[in-house]
Amino acid sequence: MAGEDSPTKNVSGRPQLSSMRTSSYLKEHQQYRPPKHPDNHFGIDTVVEDLQGAKLSPAQPFSPFNGVPSKDEPPRILEGVSHDFTHPNCAPPRGTRSDRLVATLVYKSASALASRASASPRLVSSDSDIPANLAPTTDIESFPLEPPATAEPESLDRLYGSYISPLCITSFLHLMSSFPLPQGVTEATSSHRCLDDPDHPLVVELTLSPAPSPDYLSLADLRKHELIYRFEREWNVDVALQRDTLWRRYPRLVVFDMDSTLITQEVIDLLAAAIADPPDLAAKVAQITHRAMLGELEFDAAFRERVALLRGLPATIFEQLRPALEVTTGVPQLLKALKRLGVTTAVLSGGFRPLTGWLAVELGIDHAHANEVVIDDSGRLTGEVEGTIVGKERKKELLLQIAKQEGISLDQVVAVGDGANDLLMLDAAGLGVAWNAKPRVQLEAGARLNGDSLVDLLYLFGFTKEEVDMLTT
């Protein structure tokens, strides 16, 4: 028994580093390799042996990842040179066509919610372990714990930031996954681009492939879906859905309404305000204007009624009103960008030709159409309109006429307006955009923008902030 316990007994012990003759543990201890390999098989052991004399790139610092996202370990799918060759955004196989849907999410920075600085301030760089785009604050003391007031809509951006957060994008992708895919398709892919700022984006473009089944839901119906409206309300964003086609990226004609679109006012209200007698005239005209924009009154009849109230005004009033016109934020920059891109522009106004024509020249707009008022021999308005009133039917006719005259396909026409008299024009264009519009127009238009700068229109074409700056400066 003593002999059996003797340390001199020849037994196989664990290999010691001091006994290794080379730097390769696998090479020295063959028992850890499978006993036989086919001649054409090269396992990891062989690869390791072949690398004995090779120089590898410098070792990367390693820190254990405990599963909690932080500044050093933000949430990510791919890192370094790890690539997934699934080709989700490549050209389609030969003989087939791509069917991608582009969703542009634009944060409504001009809304009442976004203007509340205390609701959800943007994070700046800090030493916190919480990534800057996952919460509105890293200070638990200032984190909003109470729900919004009863009168306010409950918006999730107060919890996740006054921008389009990763959770907002995730929520949208989850929403879109609830719609059925085309027949025969079992898997959908998506990708996204932050068009302005990767940390606190206000504009994000998502590409979904394929689009939801058109047999189940057309694009027009999808744009009006209740889930889309609910998502916009919850996250304080506008969602513009478009087919990912060549024409989306290359518009050739952009048509604008004038009142409350290119300018912030209604011209006829400005005219009424210039009349001191009777003192309630401005209020009467404004009330008719409001009801017409909501679609409660036929625009043609409402316009004639308002013009009749302006009888006796001197024709020189149009020149006097020029300095009072307030151009919408971003309009000069937008028109400069469109001009650089070679895009034809037009303004179709339900207002008055003297002011519309002057503004078009000032802004460099190519086509201008508006109403001609009748002026008597004494140089005063008669309260009548000459020719066809530029209402909803006429605006559509003019859009079609300009597109035909310029040789432009309607797929490459964009129309922008805010009132019910713009609806036919918006519907005729390849893309109709409701700009800070009335509720009915928001519902019917192909896209909605509710911001503070009309330059945002360029994001719907797929331009990044860098490209927008190049076009507008």
Side-chain angles (χ1 to χ4, degrees):
M1 293 297 294
E4 292 178 1
D5 295 333
S6 173
T8 61
K9 186 176 179 180
N10 187 14
V11 294
S12 176
R14 291 175 61 89
Q16 303 295 320
L17 291 176
S18 59
S19 67
M20 295 175 62
R21 296 185 295 274
T22 72
S23 60
S24 172
Y25 180 86
L26 291 174
K27 187 172 182 179
E28 291 295 328
H29 301 280
Q30 300 294 318
Q31 68 269 32
Y32 291 100
R33 185 192 302 177
K36 291 184 180 180
H37 283 295
D39 293 339
N40 61 349
H41 176 77
F42 300 95
I44 185 62
D45 298 342
T46 306
V47 175
V48 171
E49 289 181 357
D50 291 342
L51 289 175
Q52 290 302 309
K55 289 186 108 181
L56 300 179
S57 59
Q60 298 293 324
F62 173 79
S63 59
F65 177 58
N66 60 8
V68 179
S70 66
K71 286 180 62 178
D72 296 329
E73 291 290 345
R76 60 171 62 89
I77 298 175
L78 302 177
E79 181 180 5
V81 293
S82 299
H83 298 285
D84 184 3
F85 287 89
T86 56
H87 306 279
N89 294 309
C90 292
R94 294 182 180 180
T96 64
R97 298 179 61 182
S98 60
D99 181 25
R100 292 191 290 262
L101 184 70
V102 172
T104 307
L105 276 56
V106 183
Y107 186 79
K108 293 192 280 194
S109 55
S111 71
L113 277 174
S115 65
R116 297 182 312 180
S118 61
S120 180
R122 290 186 178 195
L123 284 179
V124 295
S125 298
S126 69
D127 296 330
S128 171
D129 288 337
I130 303 176
N133 60 359
L134 288 188
T137 178
T138 57
D139 181 11
I140 192 62
E141 297 298 329
S142 61
F143 198 86
L145 301 178
E146 296 296 326
T150 305
E152 300 173 351
E154 185 170 357
S155 179
L156 296 175
D157 65 350
R158 67 185 297 276
L159 296 177
Y160 301 112
S162 298
Y163 43 84
I164 300 175
S165 65
L167 286 173
C168 174
I169 298 174
T170 302
S171 176
F172 181 77
L173 293 176
H174 178 72
L175 181 160
M176 296 304 295
S177 69
S178 65
F179 299 120
L181 296 172
Q183 187 173 4
V185 177
T186 58
E187 188 177 65
T189 61
S190 66
S191 62
H192 84 275
R193 297 191 301 155
C194 298
L195 297 187
D196 60 339
D197 183 335
D199 292 325
H200 298 95
L202 298 180
V203 188
V204 173
E205 179 185 277
L206 296 105
T207 303
L208 311 176
S209 179
S213 172
D215 296 331
Y216 172 78
L217 207 60
S218 68
L219 178 57
D221 291 334
L222 183 61
R223 287 167 167 166
K224 301 174 185 177
H225 201 283
E226 180 185 354
L227 291 179
I228 299 293
Y229 287 128
R230 183 180 301 173
F231 174 83
E232 290 177 320
R233 181 184 177 92
E234 288 177 349
W235 292 99
N236 196 35
V237 298
D238 289 314
V239 177
L241 300 176
Q242 302 177 76
R243 295 288 181 189
D244 187 23
T245 66
L246 181 66
W247 315 128
R248 177 186 79 94
R249 300 189 295 273
Y250 297 98
R252 294 183 58 202
L253 172 63
V254 179
V255 178
F256 299 94
D257 172 44
M258 179 171 164
D259 294 8
S260 298
T261 302
L262 286 182
I263 63 174
T264 60
Q265 311 112 312
E266 295 287 333
V267 168
I268 198 164
D269 292 339
L270 293 177
L271 286 170
I275 303 177
D277 187 27
D280 61 343
L281 177 62
K284 290 181 179 179
V285 171
Q287 183 180 13
I288 299 172
T289 301
H290 180 68
R291 294 183 64 193
M293 291 298 100
L294 291 176
E296 297 176 2
L297 300 174
E298 281 297 325
F299 182 83
D300 291 14
F303 184 77
R304 291 186 187 278
E305 184 179 349
R306 286 175 292 173
V307 172
L309 294 174
L310 304 178
R311 181 178 180 180
L313 273 180
T316 55
I317 189 66
F318 294 115
E319 295 180 9
Q320 298 173 22
L321 286 178
R322 289 176 183 177
L325 297 186
E326 183 179 298
V327 176
T328 301
T329 302
V331 164
Q333 295 83 357
L334 172 61
L335 291 169
K336 181 178 182 179
L338 295 176
K339 186 66 67 176
R340 284 186 168 184
L341 292 168
V343 177
T344 302
T345 53
V347 52
L348 307 181
S349 173
F352 303 94
R353 175 69 186 178
L355 278 176
T356 302
W358 172 80
L359 184 66
V361 172
E362 290 293 305
L363 296 176
I365 297 175
D366 301 303
H367 299 269
H369 295 271
N371 296 299
E372 293 284 0
V373 292
V374 179
I375 302 173
D376 62 20
D377 295 338
S378 63
R380 294 185 174 274
L381 304 185
T382 65
E384 300 175 338
V385 183
E386 182 180 345
T388 305
I389 290 179
V390 182
K392 58 183 180 180
E393 295 284 353
R394 183 59 178 160
K395 284 189 175 186
K396 176 182 177 181
E397 293 173 3
L398 288 169
L399 182 147
L400 298 175
Q401 175 183 312
I402 295 171
K404 183 177 181 180
Q405 176 184 333
E406 298 286 345
I408 297 173
S409 167
L410 292 178
D411 290 332
Q412 291 179 277
V413 177
V414 176
V416 185
D418 74 296
N421 64 322
D422 297 317
L423 281 173
L424 294 182
M425 175 181 77
L426 300 181
D427 185 62
L431 176 65
V433 181
W435 168 252
N436 289 324
K438 310 302 182 291
R440 179 185 171 190
V441 185
Q442 298 257 7
L443 178 67
E444 296 291 334
R448 297 172 288 278
L449 285 177
N450 292 280
D452 54 8
S453 174
L454 205 49
V455 168
D456 289 349
L457 182 69
L458 294 173
Y459 290 121
L460 301 188
F461 308 152
F463 292 119
T464 64
K465 181 64 166 61
E466 180 182 16
E467 293 165 336
V468 169
D469 289 343
M470 291 175 63
L471 290 168
T472 57
T473 57

